[in-house]
Structures are given as C-alpha cells and as structure tokens.
C-alpha cells in the first residue's frame, strides 16, 4: 500500500524505515547527526513548517503532516489490506 506524506507524494509503506517527529529529531544531537550523514536524497515537501521526517531506503522526506497523522494513516491502510 501507499502512504500520502505531503504535497502529492505517495510512498510505499513497506519502504518506510522511520517516521520521526521534527521536534524530537531536532532536539537530539544523535538524530541531527543521523540525518546529516545520510546519502539519501532529501526532499522538502513542506511549503510552511515541517512537522515530521519520513525515512525510506532512498529518500528522506520533510513532511508538513504530523508524525501521529502519518502513523494513523499507515495503520488504517494495513487494516484495509486484508
């Protein structure tokens, strides 16, 4: 299944490694270092404020959607798969 992560971008749910809250990621020096060291392409989807970071195997998405919203959407999708 696919998850809408912002703008008109859909990401395959099985490709998602992590969904991070931007406040938690920014307050942690370890997370800042993790993001800085990635070789993945960074894609900014937020025209306004960034609320979450979605990490996949190939990309890092800065999303305008809250991490809780993305989590709920991904859980709904997995239930509908059956």
């Amino acid at each position: 299944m696919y998850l809408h992560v912002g703008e008109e971008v859909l990401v395959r749910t099985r490709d998602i490694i992590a969904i991070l809250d931007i406040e938690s990621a920014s307050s942690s020096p370890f997370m800042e270092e993790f993001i800085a060291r990635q070789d993945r392409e960074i894609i900014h989807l937020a025209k306004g404020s960034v609320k979450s970071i979605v990490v996949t195997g190939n990309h890092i998405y800065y999303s305008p959607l809250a991490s809780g919203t993305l989590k709920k959407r991904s859980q709904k999708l997995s239930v509908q798969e059956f």
Side-chain angles (χ1 to χ4, degrees), residues 7-63:
E7 290 301 308
E8 295 184 17
V9 177
L10 297 173
V11 176
R12 290 173 67 161
T13 53
R14 67 176 160 179
D15 294 340
I16 296 174
I17 297 169
I19 298 174
L20 309 167
D21 180 61
I22 192 69
E23 290 180 21
S24 299
S26 336
S27 64
S28 169
F30 298 110
M31 287 308 300
E32 287 181 5
E33 182 179 348
F34 168 77
I35 298 295
R37 289 185 174 209
Q38 294 303 308
D39 293 336
R40 300 173 183 130
E41 181 182 358
I42 296 176
I43 301 172
H44 293 273
L45 300 174
K47 293 180 181 174
S49 63
V50 174
K51 295 184 181 176
S52 64
I53 300 171
V54 179
V55 181
T56 67
N58 298 323
H59 300 91
I60 296 176
Y61 298 94
Y62 284 83
S63 175

